[in-house]
Amino acid sequence: MTRQFHRIVQRVRAIDRRHPLPWNFLLTGFFITASLIDVTSGGWRNIAENPDVPVWLVTTMSLCFSVPLLWRRTHPFAVLLVMFPASVTNAWTGAVLQANLTLLVVLFNVALRTRLRTLLCSYALVVTPFIVTGFRYPAEQGAEQNIVPAAMSLALAAVGGIAVRTRKEYLASLVERARQLEIERDQQSMLAAAAERARIAREMHDIIGHNLSVITGLADGGRYAATKSPERAAQALDAIGTTSRQALAELRRLLDVLRDDPEDLELAPQPSLTDLDHLIKGVRAAGLPVRTTIHGRASLPPGRQLTVYRVIQEALTNTLKHGGPGSTSQIEISYEDGGAVTVTITDTGRGGTPSTEDGRGLPGMRERTSLYGGTLEAAPGPGPESGWRVHLHLPKESAHVPQDSDHLPQGESAPHRKEEPAP
């Protein structure tokens, strides 16, 4: 029964919100009809202190109590001011019309829709006629017998209006909070999706771009060797097949992450510095001589190893794509105390700004570097034939708040000074 009553009340409120004017006319018409019936039937004389009040005056006061109710929602305090003279006249003449109870409705709307100061003034106005009645026509128990019950009834009407207003404001705040949370949730989802798209694009660029560059170099070398050295051409084809399968396997693992059901996902560690030899071997097989020099000994966290690996990979890929024939590359890695590392990759290619097709190479390197508070410089050398230079520096771990706990196992320590000449 309670739920059914609540549904009926909600439906009535919904109709009132959509069509307030018919409800206003209905309520106002009810009070006008009731007050006029009270006047024409003479029932007001049964409780009047002075039954000899002229009928025209009683009718006028009844209309003043009922007709202004039509505007009780939009201008409650103005309605109260219009009804106040009729209420004082009603108290002074002793008619004591029951239509005077409409002051409760008006005071309720004042409490519901206006400020506290207006409510206090309104309460003082509506109590005044009852005080006049109490002293002009005192009851047998005294004037307070008429004043106290009326003052308490008016106070309850005001408290009811305040309670309803508080509940409405609370519900409105909950609705607004829910709306803001939905907006924030959607924004967070969009930001997360954008970040994930950027991460996937960066990973695909690093994987596919590098391997395709190696395959292109091997294919070009195999074409030149096909006529003079079939064995070298066969070796190039074998290297192309191996590199293609590796690229396909890495791409499949990356795409498996996007599946809805990753229960059977095949996991593999991200590349680390221990995989640099394999990376450089593939680049050399593609025709780019690479010399490596390593200073110091250090053990970097997995995330930093991945950053260094990807930067070296991208620099070598750009040299393969843009360096031109006869280019060579040199990698110098310096480990410092506290986990700092500096990497410099230079080549003897044509130099100039690498014009990558998708424009994700250099931005991807800078994004990875910024994750650890590092700096990345990528620019052509000082002379026209000095090639391209990429300089990476990752500071000490204590100087950067985020700590590594992801991606891959701990890498091996680099030897104190290791030089591997180009073939």
Side-chain angles (χ1 to χ4, degrees), residues 316-333:
L316 295 178
T317 301
N318 286 336
T319 302
L320 280 173
K321 294 168 63 177
H322 309 290
S327 300
T328 62
S329 181
Q330 181 172 347
I331 303 172
E332 184 175 354
I333 305 175

Side-chain angles (χ1 to χ4, degrees), residues 176-241:
E176 178 64 19
R177 182 180 179 185
R179 189 182 68 85
Q180 292 293 335
L181 290 176
E182 290 180 358
I183 294 175
E184 292 179 3
R185 179 199 62 192
D186 295 340
Q187 291 177 344
Q188 292 294 334
S189 299
M190 290 188 291
L191 290 175
E196 186 65 14
R197 286 196 297 268
R199 187 189 68 82
I200 294 174
R202 185 173 65 239
E203 293 294 335
M204 292 189 68
H205 172 271
D206 292 339
I207 295 172
I208 304 301
H210 171 75
N211 286 288
L212 288 180
S213 298
V214 172
I215 291 172
T216 302
L218 290 171
D220 292 340
R223 184 184 62 181
Y224 289 119
T227 57
K228 298 181 180 181
S229 179
E231 295 180 358
R232 296 294 299 274
Q235 292 176 0
L237 291 176
D238 291 338
I240 289 174

